[in-house]
Amino acid sequence: QLQLVESGGGLVQPGGSLRLSCAASTSLLDDYAIGWFRQAPGKEREGVSCISRGGTRTNYADSVKGRFTISRDNAKNTVFLQMNSLNAEDTAVYYCAAKWLVCGSSHDRPDSYDYWGQGTQVTVSS
């Protein structure tokens, strides 16, 4: 069983930055690709980014390319999402999720992930 805990959310002004963390309960995180999703009120859960188990392959939604960077530190059992140039459309609850080994073609499909964190709120507002 893999437990994931997100942190780092909060209130930030437009143009600001936040770094989200996704911490795993065990070193089993090494065997999983990790995805970040977000869900705004009244909207479907949206895939934001994914990183392979080794960290060599990443995927990004078009809406965040060039602004968000995903990375992982397997020694610390943690995956990060650096978010820059935030705007109001980025406001959502952000979730991390784990799927076996690779991101693959289904990296942005929530139903392809096996484990989920509880989410962390990100609010972009002046």
Side-chain angles (χ1 to χ4, degrees):
Q1 188 76 8
L2 185 66
Q3 293 182 325
L4 304 173
V5 178
E6 303 95 336
S7 62
L11 174 64
V12 63
Q13 292 186 342
S17 298
L18 283 174
R19 187 174 82 155
L20 304 183
S21 298
C22 173
S25 55
T26 76
S27 61
L28 290 175
L29 187 71
D30 294 6
D31 293 330
Y32 290 85
I34 301 297
W36 283 97
F37 288 78
R38 65 187 181 185
Q39 189 165 19
K43 294 187 176 181
E44 293 187 353
R45 194 163 294 191
E46 171 191 20
V48 174
S49 184
C50 185
I51 187 166
S52 63
R53 63 176 291 206
T56 56
R57 301 195 69 172
T58 57
N59 302 89
Y60 295 94
D62 288 342
S63 58
V64 306
K65 280 181 182 177
R67 300 188 299 123
F68 290 11
T69 302
I70 192 170
S71 62
R72 66 190 297 160
D73 185 341
N74 285 344
K76 297 182 178 179
N77 302 328
T78 304
V79 174
F80 304 98
L81 185 69
Q82 178 67 42
M83 307 187 297
N84 299 329
S85 301
L86 287 162
N87 57 60
E89 288 69 41
D90 296 316
T91 295
V93 177
Y94 283 71
Y95 301 88
C96 65
K99 67 197 305 278
W100 186 246
L101 294 181
V102 299
C103 296
S105 59
S106 61
H107 62 89
D108 58 351
R109 282 177 40 195
D111 62 358
S112 70
Y113 288 77
D114 302 306
Y115 301 99
W116 288 83
Q118 83 290 347
T120 185
Q121 176 71 46
V122 171
T123 302
V124 184
S125 175
S126 55

